[in-house]
Amino acid sequence: MDGLDEVREEDTKRVLRQIRDISEQFHNNQFVITCRIAAKEYTFERFTEVEVADFDEEQIAIFAQNWFRLSDPVKAERFMHKLEDNEPIKELASSPLLLTLLCLVFGESADFPANRSELYKEGLDILLKKWDTKRNIERDQVYKNLSLHRKVDLLSQIALTTFEQKDYFFKQKTVETYIATFIYNLRDAHTEPKELELDSEIILKSIEAQHGLVVERAKGIYSFSHLTFQEYFSAREIVANSAWNSLVKHITERRWQEVFLLTVGMMRKADDLVLLMKDKIDVIISNDEYLQAFLVKIYEKSLSIKSRLSLSTIRSFYFEHLLFFGSDYVLDSLNYNLASALGFNLSSMELEEELFLDHWLTDIIETSNSNRHEALTWILELNIYIQPELRKALQDLQEQVIQLETQTNWEDGKDNLPPECEIKLRNLAIKYRKICYNLELNDYQHQLLSYYYEANNLLLNCLNSDCYVSREVRQEIENTLVLPISEFKNSQLQ
């Protein structure tokens, strides 16, 4: 079962249930399910999960040598040297699909484009324009008469229309209708219904046979050969029509993230789009007083921290810290993605003494590790600044734990903390460090926070991609990241 991530959102629960039912009913059969990693939000208890390995350097080199072997063997060596000098492009080469596009582009220009959207553009242009010419193949005249630009326009229109409707697979008649609507307005097009229908079918078959960008998956059922192509052409259509307002409506939908990244990469100047994204993100939790109150606590906490990091980085650190330790609905793992995107380095966290202390204090309080007592001792022995009053209170708590260890009514193990000590430690963290508040959220607020976090993460990924954004807009967005609405009064984004 290929492409679980391409199931329509409203069908996901039903499809997951049916997969479980059929795999349990026919348990002697072997089932294989594929799904892109970034889209995986589910697990199957009786399945073994494996990840298809990326190409390693040796495999990339073999692929390149085979690709250029007949046309220009020396070019394979130059290809590998160029890859070594361009780390972002080298990361793309680990994917067979993108490596194919890289070889196509390098075969033409002996160099690589600046960003991923440019890579797709150049690679697809070659597929659409020169692929068959090199193989001495002639296509149907009706398709041949479409210029490269019009072919791309047609594919872009089909891609966005189907992507907006969550149609990763579409009926032949449906896509032929889209083609007919498009070519009807061309200057030399046949406008009679029967001729238009015939021309549409010819064009669809030509696209499939010539480029493989759209393929027939089952009788009368088509899709783009790879979701990447549908996403790229969708982004191109959005840029062509400056449809920023339509795009930002999908800011909380994970399946649109790649479209956002490709769109900002294609734009001449992405200021308008990233500002719209920021506005849409802030609105997500702007009317929830409880969530805004937590943002205020995080804001006030950031002002109290002595650090070389920016206030927005510190806010992001404590925001993610809160989401991970206070809510298992939002973060499955704590990597400080927002803070890292703003300059925080997880590997050198101990250099930020207050952040380091708060991280490990919370870890002792919030997790069920069996070495809590040992961790508390370790924190007190660290050569970092701890408020004198807090240090004294932690030492007193440590002595209390040692005394309780000798009592027969405590049977949880010497490495754990007695319940009354856990409560006291949490109260100390709240009083002295303003952390470890209990997040009492309903399901709707959990969902809002999840949307808010994912959308902020997407926005920073866009800003850190190879997009063109003015310094003023970039700085303004970073300055107001995870900021409570009450503090926007001094911002240009108010």
Side-chain angles (χ1 to χ4, degrees), residues 61-81 103-111 134:
I62 293 171
F63 187 101
Q65 287 162 8
N66 289 337
W67 184 279
F68 295 112
R69 183 176 54 197
L70 295 180
S71 61
D72 187 352
V74 178
K75 191 168 277 188
E77 292 184 25
R78 294 202 298 270
F79 178 88
M80 293 305 299
H81 286 312
C103 289
L104 277 171
V105 171
F106 196 83
E108 290 294 314
S109 60
D111 206 349
K134 290 186 176 181

Side-chain angles (χ1 to χ4, degrees), residues 25 49 59 69 71 74 98-99 140 175 205 273 343 358 372 401 414 441 450:
Q25 182 179 355
E49 184 175 318
Q59 291 168 320
R69 183 176 54 197
S71 61
V74 178
L98 301 185
L99 180 54
D140 295 279
V175 72
K205 293 298 183 182
L273 176 54
D358 289 344
R372 290 175 172 181
V401 171
K414 66 176 183 179
L441 305 179
S450 181

Side-chain angles (χ1 to χ4, degrees), residues 155-249:
L155 287 165
S156 299
Q157 189 168 301
I158 294 171
L160 184 59
T161 302
T162 53
F163 197 82
E164 285 181 327
Q165 296 173 356
K166 303 179 184 178
D167 290 336
Y168 300 115
F169 302 91
F170 29 86
K171 293 180 180 178
Q172 179 175 341
K173 290 298 180 185
T174 301
V175 72
E176 285 177 1
T177 301
Y178 298 149
I179 295 171
T181 302
F182 181 86
I183 63 175
Y184 177 83
N185 296 305
L186 298 179
R187 182 167 55 87
D188 298 324
H190 298 134
T191 56
E192 291 296 321
K194 285 293 182 184
E195 290 181 318
L196 200 58
E197 182 180 341
L198 181 61
D199 287 350
S200 299
E201 183 178 355
I202 290 171
I203 288 175
L204 177 59
K205 293 298 183 182
S206 295
I207 293 172
E208 180 183 18
Q210 185 171 351
H211 321 298
L213 294 175
V214 176
V215 295
E216 190 173 21
R217 301 292 190 180
K219 184 64 176 176
I221 302 295
Y222 281 78
S223 78
F224 280 86
S225 56
H226 197 284
L227 186 56
T228 295
F229 296 141
Q230 190 175 11
E231 291 165 336
Y232 167 78
F233 284 120
S234 295
R236 185 192 176 279
E237 183 72 358
I238 289 165
V239 172
N241 293 286
S242 301
W244 323 133
N245 285 301
S246 297
L247 178 60
V248 296
K249 292 177 182 178

